[in-house]
Short mmCIF file of all heavy atoms in Angstrom, two decimals:
data_model
loop_
_atom_site.label_atom_id
_atom_site.label_comp_id
_atom_site.label_asym_id
_atom_site.label_seq_id
_atom_site.Cartn_x
_atom_site.Cartn_y
_atom_site.Cartn_z
N SER U 1 24.29 126.40 -20.34
CA SER U 1 24.18 126.94 -21.68
C SER U 1 25.50 126.91 -22.33
O SER U 1 26.54 126.83 -21.73
CB SER U 1 23.69 128.21 -21.60
OG SER U 1 24.65 129.24 -21.51
N THR U 2 25.54 126.79 -23.66
CA THR U 2 26.67 126.70 -24.50
C THR U 2 27.17 128.09 -24.88
O THR U 2 26.34 128.79 -25.29
CB THR U 2 26.42 125.83 -25.86
OG1 THR U 2 25.98 124.71 -25.38
CG2 THR U 2 27.66 125.72 -26.59
N PRO U 3 28.38 128.32 -24.76
CA PRO U 3 29.02 129.75 -25.06
C PRO U 3 29.07 129.88 -26.56
O PRO U 3 29.18 128.99 -27.35
CB PRO U 3 30.36 129.69 -24.53
CG PRO U 3 30.81 128.37 -24.35
CD PRO U 3 29.46 127.48 -24.15
N LEU U 4 28.77 131.11 -26.99
CA LEU U 4 28.89 131.36 -28.43
C LEU U 4 30.42 131.77 -28.81
O LEU U 4 31.13 132.36 -27.94
CB LEU U 4 27.98 132.59 -28.77
CG LEU U 4 26.50 132.39 -28.54
CD1 LEU U 4 25.82 133.71 -28.81
CD2 LEU U 4 25.98 131.25 -29.35
N SER U 5 30.68 131.50 -29.99
CA SER U 5 32.18 131.85 -30.49
C SER U 5 32.07 132.96 -31.51
O SER U 5 31.08 133.25 -32.19
CB SER U 5 32.66 130.66 -31.37
OG SER U 5 32.77 129.53 -30.57
N ASP U 6 33.02 133.95 -31.33
CA ASP U 6 33.13 135.15 -32.28
C ASP U 6 33.87 134.59 -33.41
O ASP U 6 35.06 134.12 -33.44
CB ASP U 6 33.95 136.17 -31.55
CG ASP U 6 34.21 137.38 -32.40
OD1 ASP U 6 33.71 137.31 -33.58
OD2 ASP U 6 34.85 138.23 -31.99
N LEU U 7 33.15 134.48 -34.60
CA LEU U 7 33.70 133.97 -35.85
C LEU U 7 34.81 134.73 -36.39
O LEU U 7 35.66 134.29 -37.23
CB LEU U 7 32.66 133.71 -36.89
CG LEU U 7 31.52 132.77 -36.41
CD1 LEU U 7 30.51 132.63 -37.59
CD2 LEU U 7 32.10 131.50 -35.92
N HIS U 8 35.09 136.07 -35.93
CA HIS U 8 36.08 136.93 -36.43
C HIS U 8 37.41 136.74 -35.57
O HIS U 8 38.40 137.45 -35.85
CB HIS U 8 35.70 138.35 -36.54
CG HIS U 8 34.66 138.53 -37.65
ND1 HIS U 8 33.37 139.12 -37.27
CD2 HIS U 8 34.70 138.29 -38.81
CE1 HIS U 8 32.67 139.19 -38.42
NE2 HIS U 8 33.39 138.62 -39.48
N ASP U 9 37.44 135.85 -34.59
CA ASP U 9 38.64 135.72 -33.64
C ASP U 9 39.88 135.44 -34.50
O ASP U 9 40.96 135.81 -34.02
CB ASP U 9 38.46 134.60 -32.67
CG ASP U 9 37.76 135.19 -31.39
OD1 ASP U 9 37.67 136.38 -31.19
OD2 ASP U 9 37.33 134.34 -30.63
N ALA U 10 39.68 134.76 -35.70
CA ALA U 10 40.98 134.19 -36.38
C ALA U 10 41.51 135.50 -37.15
O ALA U 10 42.61 135.24 -37.71
CB ALA U 10 40.65 133.12 -37.26
N LEU U 11 40.82 136.57 -37.26
CA LEU U 11 41.28 137.60 -38.07
C LEU U 11 42.34 138.41 -37.31
O LEU U 11 42.40 138.57 -36.19
CB LEU U 11 40.18 138.62 -38.48
CG LEU U 11 39.12 137.94 -39.41
CD1 LEU U 11 37.91 139.05 -39.65
CD2 LEU U 11 39.53 137.50 -40.79
N ALA U 12 43.21 139.07 -37.97
CA ALA U 12 44.21 140.05 -37.37
C ALA U 12 43.46 141.16 -36.85
O ALA U 12 42.42 141.51 -37.33
CB ALA U 12 45.25 140.51 -38.41
N ALA U 13 44.11 141.73 -35.82
CA ALA U 13 43.36 142.84 -35.06
C ALA U 13 42.96 143.91 -35.94
O ALA U 13 41.81 144.38 -35.88
CB ALA U 13 44.11 143.42 -33.95
N ALA U 14 43.72 144.34 -36.93
CA ALA U 14 43.48 145.37 -37.92
C ALA U 14 42.25 145.01 -38.77
O ALA U 14 41.52 145.84 -39.25
CB ALA U 14 44.52 145.75 -38.74
N ASP U 15 42.14 143.67 -39.15
CA ASP U 15 41.05 143.24 -39.98
C ASP U 15 39.72 143.06 -39.23
O ASP U 15 38.70 142.83 -39.88
CB ASP U 15 41.50 141.88 -40.60
CG ASP U 15 42.58 142.08 -41.51
OD1 ASP U 15 42.75 143.17 -42.11
OD2 ASP U 15 43.35 141.02 -41.75
N ARG U 16 39.79 143.10 -38.00
CA ARG U 16 38.50 142.99 -37.12
C ARG U 16 37.79 144.38 -36.82
O ARG U 16 36.74 144.44 -36.40
CB ARG U 16 38.79 142.49 -35.78
CG ARG U 16 39.36 141.01 -35.81
CD ARG U 16 39.68 140.54 -34.44
NE ARG U 16 38.74 140.77 -33.53
CZ ARG U 16 37.90 139.89 -32.93
NH1 ARG U 16 37.99 138.59 -33.32
NH2 ARG U 16 36.94 140.19 -32.16
N ILE U 17 38.41 145.48 -37.29
CA ILE U 17 37.88 146.78 -36.94
C ILE U 17 36.63 146.90 -37.76
O ILE U 17 36.48 146.67 -39.00
CB ILE U 17 38.82 147.83 -37.33
CG1 ILE U 17 40.04 147.82 -36.41
CG2 ILE U 17 38.14 149.17 -37.48
CD1 ILE U 17 41.11 148.74 -36.74
N THR U 18 35.46 147.23 -37.06
CA THR U 18 34.03 147.24 -37.82
C THR U 18 33.49 148.65 -37.91
O THR U 18 32.28 148.74 -38.29
CB THR U 18 33.19 146.37 -37.06
OG1 THR U 18 32.97 146.90 -35.77
CG2 THR U 18 33.73 144.77 -36.97
N THR U 19 34.20 149.64 -37.61
CA THR U 19 33.71 150.96 -37.71
C THR U 19 34.77 151.97 -38.35
O THR U 19 35.78 151.74 -38.34
CB THR U 19 33.34 151.68 -36.42
OG1 THR U 19 34.47 151.81 -35.67
CG2 THR U 19 32.39 150.76 -35.59
N SER U 20 34.16 153.07 -38.94
CA SER U 20 35.05 154.01 -39.42
C SER U 20 35.83 154.86 -38.41
O SER U 20 36.78 155.53 -38.83
CB SER U 20 34.36 155.06 -40.41
OG SER U 20 33.32 155.71 -39.59
N TRP U 21 35.54 154.67 -37.25
CA TRP U 21 36.27 155.26 -36.16
C TRP U 21 37.19 154.38 -35.37
O TRP U 21 37.52 154.40 -34.32
CB TRP U 21 35.33 156.05 -35.21
CG TRP U 21 33.90 155.56 -35.04
CD1 TRP U 21 32.89 155.68 -35.95
CD2 TRP U 21 33.40 154.66 -34.06
NE1 TRP U 21 31.73 155.06 -35.65
CE2 TRP U 21 32.10 154.45 -34.41
CE3 TRP U 21 33.88 154.19 -32.93
CZ2 TRP U 21 31.17 153.66 -33.66
CZ3 TRP U 21 33.15 153.36 -32.09
CH2 TRP U 21 31.73 153.07 -32.58
N ASN U 22 37.57 153.30 -36.24
CA ASN U 22 38.63 152.33 -35.75
C ASN U 22 38.37 151.61 -34.44
O ASN U 22 39.34 151.47 -33.60
CB ASN U 22 40.00 152.99 -35.57
CG ASN U 22 40.51 153.48 -36.92
OD1 ASN U 22 40.32 152.86 -37.97
ND2 ASN U 22 41.14 154.59 -37.09
N LYS U 23 37.23 151.04 -34.21
CA LYS U 23 36.83 150.32 -33.11
C LYS U 23 36.13 149.07 -33.62
O LYS U 23 35.55 148.99 -34.82
CB LYS U 23 35.72 151.06 -32.33
CG LYS U 23 36.22 152.27 -31.66
CD LYS U 23 37.41 152.07 -30.52
CE LYS U 23 37.70 153.38 -30.11
NZ LYS U 23 38.82 153.19 -29.21
N THR U 24 36.10 148.04 -32.81
CA THR U 24 35.53 146.71 -33.10
C THR U 24 34.12 146.70 -32.20
O THR U 24 34.29 146.47 -30.91
CB THR U 24 36.47 145.54 -32.89
OG1 THR U 24 37.46 145.59 -33.69
CG2 THR U 24 35.66 144.18 -33.17
N VAL U 25 33.07 146.86 -32.75
CA VAL U 25 31.93 146.94 -31.94
C VAL U 25 30.85 145.97 -32.52
O VAL U 25 29.79 145.77 -31.94
CB VAL U 25 31.33 148.39 -31.95
CG1 VAL U 25 32.18 149.34 -31.15
CG2 VAL U 25 30.91 148.93 -33.18
N ASP U 26 31.14 145.42 -33.66
CA ASP U 26 30.12 144.47 -34.33
C ASP U 26 30.80 143.09 -34.38
O ASP U 26 32.05 143.02 -34.59
CB ASP U 26 29.80 144.86 -35.68
CG ASP U 26 29.20 146.26 -35.81
OD1 ASP U 26 28.09 146.49 -35.31
OD2 ASP U 26 29.81 147.24 -36.16
N TYR U 27 30.01 142.07 -34.10
CA TYR U 27 30.51 140.74 -33.89
C TYR U 27 29.61 139.73 -34.65
O TYR U 27 28.38 139.93 -34.92
CB TYR U 27 30.62 140.30 -32.50
CG TYR U 27 31.56 141.13 -31.64
CD1 TYR U 27 31.04 142.42 -31.03
CD2 TYR U 27 32.83 140.84 -31.45
CE1 TYR U 27 31.96 143.19 -30.28
CE2 TYR U 27 33.77 141.73 -30.79
CZ TYR U 27 33.36 142.80 -30.25
OH TYR U 27 34.09 143.58 -29.45
N LEU U 28 30.16 138.62 -35.06
CA LEU U 28 29.40 137.51 -35.58
C LEU U 28 29.56 136.35 -34.73
O LEU U 28 30.55 135.75 -34.65
CB LEU U 28 29.93 137.34 -37.08
CG LEU U 28 29.15 136.39 -37.93
CD1 LEU U 28 27.70 136.94 -38.13
CD2 LEU U 28 29.69 136.20 -39.26
N LEU U 29 28.53 136.18 -34.04
CA LEU U 29 28.57 135.01 -32.93
C LEU U 29 27.87 133.79 -33.43
O LEU U 29 26.88 134.01 -34.20
CB LEU U 29 27.94 135.48 -31.64
CG LEU U 29 28.58 136.85 -31.05
CD1 LEU U 29 27.74 137.23 -29.83
CD2 LEU U 29 29.97 136.56 -30.73
N ALA U 30 28.32 132.66 -33.12
CA ALA U 30 27.78 131.39 -33.55
C ALA U 30 27.85 130.25 -32.48
O ALA U 30 28.76 130.29 -31.67
CB ALA U 30 28.53 130.78 -34.72
N SER U 31 26.82 129.55 -32.42
CA SER U 31 26.68 128.44 -31.51
C SER U 31 27.66 127.35 -31.99
O SER U 31 28.14 127.36 -33.25
CB SER U 31 25.27 127.77 -31.49
OG SER U 31 25.04 127.19 -32.73
N PRO U 32 28.02 126.37 -31.20
CA PRO U 32 28.96 125.29 -31.74
C PRO U 32 28.31 124.50 -33.08
O PRO U 32 29.13 124.30 -33.98
CB PRO U 32 29.04 124.30 -30.58
CG PRO U 32 28.84 125.22 -29.36
CD PRO U 32 27.87 126.22 -29.77
N ALA U 33 27.05 124.34 -33.10
CA ALA U 33 26.42 123.76 -34.17
C ALA U 33 26.49 124.57 -35.46
O ALA U 33 26.78 124.04 -36.57
CB ALA U 33 24.82 123.41 -33.83
N LEU U 34 26.23 125.88 -35.39
CA LEU U 34 26.46 126.74 -36.48
C LEU U 34 27.91 126.85 -36.97
O LEU U 34 28.27 126.73 -38.10
CB LEU U 34 25.85 128.06 -36.13
CG LEU U 34 25.86 129.15 -37.40
CD1 LEU U 34 25.04 128.63 -38.51
CD2 LEU U 34 25.34 130.40 -37.06
N GLU U 35 28.75 127.00 -35.93
CA GLU U 35 30.16 127.09 -36.26
C GLU U 35 30.68 125.85 -36.99
O GLU U 35 31.65 125.95 -37.87
CB GLU U 35 31.03 127.22 -35.06
CG GLU U 35 32.45 127.62 -35.25
CD GLU U 35 33.24 128.02 -33.95
OE1 GLU U 35 32.66 127.87 -32.96
OE2 GLU U 35 34.36 128.54 -34.21
N ALA U 36 30.20 124.64 -36.78
CA ALA U 36 30.54 123.40 -37.45
C ALA U 36 30.22 123.51 -38.93
O ALA U 36 30.91 122.73 -39.70
CB ALA U 36 29.86 122.17 -36.77
N THR U 37 29.45 124.41 -39.34
CA THR U 37 29.05 124.52 -40.76
C THR U 37 29.75 125.70 -41.50
O THR U 37 29.50 125.93 -42.62
CB THR U 37 27.40 124.76 -40.95
OG1 THR U 37 27.08 126.02 -40.42
CG2 THR U 37 26.75 123.59 -40.36
N LEU U 38 30.61 126.45 -40.75
CA LEU U 38 31.29 127.57 -41.21
C LEU U 38 32.21 127.16 -42.42
O LEU U 38 32.94 126.27 -42.25
CB LEU U 38 32.13 128.18 -40.10
CG LEU U 38 33.00 129.43 -40.49
CD1 LEU U 38 32.04 130.61 -40.76
CD2 LEU U 38 33.92 129.81 -39.28
N VAL U 39 32.20 127.99 -43.45
CA VAL U 39 33.08 127.74 -44.55
C VAL U 39 34.41 128.42 -44.15
O VAL U 39 34.51 129.49 -43.75
CB VAL U 39 32.62 128.41 -45.88
CG1 VAL U 39 33.68 128.32 -46.98
CG2 VAL U 39 31.23 127.76 -46.29
N ALA U 40 35.55 127.53 -44.08
CA ALA U 40 36.89 127.96 -43.61
C ALA U 40 37.32 129.25 -44.37
O ALA U 40 37.14 129.43 -45.64
CB ALA U 40 37.92 126.94 -43.80
N GLY U 41 37.82 130.24 -43.68
CA GLY U 41 38.21 131.44 -44.30
C GLY U 41 37.25 132.46 -44.64
O GLY U 41 37.53 133.51 -45.19
N SER U 42 35.90 132.15 -44.52
CA SER U 42 34.94 133.00 -44.95
C SER U 42 34.62 134.26 -44.11
O SER U 42 34.21 135.29 -44.56
CB SER U 42 33.68 132.30 -45.30
OG SER U 42 33.03 131.79 -43.99
N PRO U 43 34.93 134.19 -42.77
CA PRO U 43 34.56 135.35 -41.94
C PRO U 43 35.46 136.55 -42.33
O PRO U 43 36.68 136.41 -42.65
CB PRO U 43 34.95 134.90 -40.55
CG PRO U 43 34.74 133.43 -40.52
CD PRO U 43 35.23 133.00 -41.89
N LYS U 44 34.74 137.71 -42.38
CA LYS U 44 35.42 139.02 -42.86
C LYS U 44 34.75 140.18 -42.58
O LYS U 44 33.46 140.13 -42.17
CB LYS U 44 35.76 138.93 -44.30
CG LYS U 44 34.45 139.07 -45.23
CD LYS U 44 34.81 139.08 -46.76
CE LYS U 44 33.58 139.18 -47.58
NZ LYS U 44 33.86 139.07 -49.01
N VAL U 45 35.43 141.28 -42.47
CA VAL U 45 34.87 142.58 -42.38
C VAL U 45 35.29 143.38 -43.63
O VAL U 45 36.54 143.44 -43.91
CB VAL U 45 35.49 143.32 -41.07
CG1 VAL U 45 34.90 144.75 -40.92
CG2 VAL U 45 35.08 142.46 -39.84
N ASP U 46 34.21 143.89 -44.30
CA ASP U 46 34.60 144.59 -45.51
C ASP U 46 34.84 146.06 -45.27
O ASP U 46 33.82 146.74 -44.97
CB ASP U 46 33.38 144.39 -46.53
CG ASP U 46 33.74 144.89 -47.94
OD1 ASP U 46 34.64 145.71 -47.96
OD2 ASP U 46 32.99 144.53 -48.74
N GLN U 47 36.02 146.42 -45.14
CA GLN U 47 36.37 147.82 -44.72
C GLN U 47 36.63 148.78 -45.86
O GLN U 47 37.19 149.82 -45.76
CB GLN U 47 37.59 147.69 -43.88
CG GLN U 47 37.47 146.80 -42.63
CD GLN U 47 38.95 146.69 -41.99
OE1 GLN U 47 39.90 146.68 -42.61
NE2 GLN U 47 38.88 146.37 -40.62
N ARG U 48 35.96 148.53 -47.04
CA ARG U 48 36.17 149.49 -48.13
C ARG U 48 35.50 150.74 -47.78
O ARG U 48 34.59 150.87 -47.13
CB ARG U 48 35.51 148.87 -49.37
CG ARG U 48 36.20 147.66 -50.00
CD ARG U 48 35.46 147.24 -51.20
NE ARG U 48 34.34 146.45 -50.77
CZ ARG U 48 33.38 146.06 -51.55
NH1 ARG U 48 33.46 146.20 -52.91
NH2 ARG U 48 32.27 145.42 -51.12
N ASP U 49 36.25 151.96 -48.35
CA ASP U 49 35.83 153.21 -47.95
C ASP U 49 34.30 153.52 -48.47
O ASP U 49 33.74 154.28 -47.95
CB ASP U 49 36.72 154.17 -48.73
CG ASP U 49 38.02 154.28 -48.03
OD1 ASP U 49 38.13 153.98 -46.75
OD2 ASP U 49 39.11 154.65 -48.72
N ALA U 50 33.84 152.71 -49.46
CA ALA U 50 32.59 153.03 -49.99
C ALA U 50 31.48 152.92 -48.91
O ALA U 50 30.46 153.51 -48.89
CB ALA U 50 32.23 152.09 -51.09
N PHE U 51 31.72 152.02 -48.01
CA PHE U 51 30.67 151.91 -46.82
C PHE U 51 30.71 152.98 -45.91
O PHE U 51 29.61 153.28 -45.26
CB PHE U 51 30.90 150.56 -46.20
CG PHE U 51 30.71 149.37 -47.08
CD1 PHE U 51 31.69 148.53 -47.50
CD2 PHE U 51 29.35 149.11 -47.46
CE1 PHE U 51 31.48 147.50 -48.34
CE2 PHE U 51 29.09 147.97 -48.33
CZ PHE U 51 30.21 147.22 -48.72
N GLY U 52 31.75 153.69 -45.71
CA GLY U 52 31.82 154.96 -44.82
C GLY U 52 30.90 155.99 -45.22
O GLY U 52 30.42 156.88 -44.48
N LYS U 53 30.36 155.92 -46.54
CA LYS U 53 29.48 156.96 -47.07
C LYS U 53 27.95 156.73 -46.69
O LYS U 53 27.26 157.57 -46.68
CB LYS U 53 29.61 157.07 -48.48
CG LYS U 53 31.11 157.59 -49.04
CD LYS U 53 31.14 157.61 -50.45
CE LYS U 53 32.60 157.93 -50.81
NZ LYS U 53 32.97 157.70 -52.17
N THR U 54 27.68 155.49 -46.32
CA THR U 54 26.35 155.01 -45.99
C THR U 54 26.17 154.64 -44.54
O THR U 54 25.06 154.77 -43.96
CB THR U 54 25.89 153.97 -46.81
OG1 THR U 54 26.76 152.77 -46.70
CG2 THR U 54 25.80 154.34 -48.44
N SER U 55 27.23 154.44 -43.85
CA SER U 55 27.12 153.98 -42.54
C SER U 55 28.51 154.08 -41.91
O SER U 55 29.62 154.06 -42.59
CB SER U 55 26.66 152.57 -42.39
OG SER U 55 26.82 152.08 -40.98
N ASP U 56 28.69 154.26 -40.56
CA ASP U 56 29.93 154.33 -39.93
C ASP U 56 30.38 152.84 -39.40
O ASP U 56 31.32 152.67 -38.74
CB ASP U 56 29.93 155.27 -38.81
CG ASP U 56 29.00 155.05 -37.68
OD1 ASP U 56 28.08 154.12 -37.88
OD2 ASP U 56 29.09 155.80 -36.61
N HIS U 57 29.49 151.91 -39.85
CA HIS U 57 29.78 150.42 -39.39
C HIS U 57 30.06 149.76 -40.81
O HIS U 57 29.39 149.99 -41.78
CB HIS U 57 28.67 149.77 -38.83
CG HIS U 57 28.45 150.33 -37.45
ND1 HIS U 57 28.76 149.66 -36.21
CD2 HIS U 57 27.92 151.49 -37.09
CE1 HIS U 57 28.52 150.36 -35.17
NE2 HIS U 57 27.97 151.46 -35.58
N TYR U 58 31.07 148.88 -40.78
CA TYR U 58 31.50 148.05 -41.98
C TYR U 58 30.59 146.78 -41.92
O TYR U 58 30.42 146.24 -40.88
CB TYR U 58 32.90 147.77 -41.97
CG TYR U 58 33.83 148.91 -42.15
CD1 TYR U 58 34.77 149.19 -41.15
CD2 TYR U 58 33.71 149.87 -43.22
CE1 TYR U 58 35.72 150.23 -41.24
CE2 TYR U 58 34.48 151.03 -43.19
CZ TYR U 58 35.44 151.21 -42.25
OH TYR U 58 36.25 152.24 -42.28
N PRO U 59 30.29 146.16 -42.99
CA PRO U 59 29.59 144.83 -43.08
C PRO U 59 30.51 143.76 -42.50
O PRO U 59 31.66 143.73 -42.85
CB PRO U 59 29.20 144.66 -44.49
CG PRO U 59 29.38 145.98 -45.23
CD PRO U 59 30.42 146.77 -44.34
N VAL U 60 29.91 142.94 -41.71
CA VAL U 60 30.62 141.73 -41.23
C VAL U 60 29.87 140.52 -41.84
O VAL U 60 28.60 140.55 -42.04
CB VAL U 60 30.54 141.59 -39.63
CG1 VAL U 60 31.37 142.70 -39.15
CG2 VAL U 60 29.27 141.56 -39.19
N SER U 61 30.64 139.49 -42.39
CA SER U 61 29.93 138.33 -43.03
C SER U 61 30.78 137.09 -42.74
O SER U 61 31.89 137.01 -42.36
CB SER U 61 29.76 138.58 -44.53
OG SER U 61 31.08 138.72 -45.10
N ALA U 62 30.08 135.95 -43.02
CA ALA U 62 30.55 134.68 -42.99
C ALA U 62 29.74 133.77 -43.83
O ALA U 62 28.56 133.98 -44.08
CB ALA U 62 30.72 134.11 -41.62
N SER U 63 30.31 132.73 -44.29
CA SER U 63 29.49 131.69 -45.30
C SER U 63 29.41 130.44 -44.45
O SER U 63 30.28 130.00 -43.73
CB SER U 63 30.10 131.45 -46.53
OG SER U 63 30.19 132.72 -47.28
N PHE U 64 28.21 129.76 -44.57
CA PHE U 64 28.03 128.48 -43.99
C PHE U 64 27.48 127.45 -44.95
O PHE U 64 26.94 127.83 -46.05
CB PHE U 64 26.94 128.61 -42.94
CG PHE U 64 27.31 129.67 -41.89
CD1 PHE U 64 26.90 131.03 -42.12
CD2 PHE U 64 27.95 129.43 -40.81
CE1 PHE U 64 27.31 131.95 -41.11
CE2 PHE U 64 28.38 130.22 -39.84
CZ PHE U 64 28.03 131.61 -40.06
N THR U 65 27.78 126.15 -44.74
CA THR U 65 27.34 125.06 -45.72
C THR U 65 26.26 124.31 -44.88
O THR U 65 26.68 123.75 -43.79
CB THR U 65 28.47 124.11 -46.11
OG1 THR U 65 29.40 125.07 -46.78
CG2 THR U 65 27.99 123.05 -46.96
N PHE U 66 25.05 124.19 -45.36
CA PHE U 66 24.05 123.44 -44.74
C PHE U 66 23.70 122.23 -45.65
O PHE U 66 23.74 122.35 -46.84
CB PHE U 66 22.74 124.26 -44.51
CG PHE U 66 23.02 125.51 -43.64
CD1 PHE U 66 23.16 126.70 -44.11
CD2 PHE U 66 23.12 125.19 -42.18
CE1 PHE U 66 23.47 127.71 -43.21
CE2 PHE U 66 23.29 126.29 -41.40
CZ PHE U 66 23.45 127.59 -41.87
N LYS U 67 23.36 121.11 -45.03
CA LYS U 67 23.08 119.85 -45.68
C LYS U 67 21.57 119.55 -45.61
O LYS U 67 20.95 119.94 -44.65
CB LYS U 67 23.89 118.66 -45.27
CG LYS U 67 25.31 118.95 -45.58
CD LYS U 67 26.14 117.83 -44.94
CE LYS U 67 27.58 118.17 -45.19
NZ LYS U 67 28.54 117.13 -44.85
#
């Protein structure tokens, strides 16, 4: 089986925090085929305070290009 890659690996440790309690517990994993379509620089964790009001987890996202 092919291992999955964590698409947030390239982010600084502080930018990888996915909860309001300062832990990284959410990941965006991709197969090599999906990772090949990743838009460079697009993986992120949106740590704006507004999300702490609706959930203790921040949204994680990435963009991909499909042909």
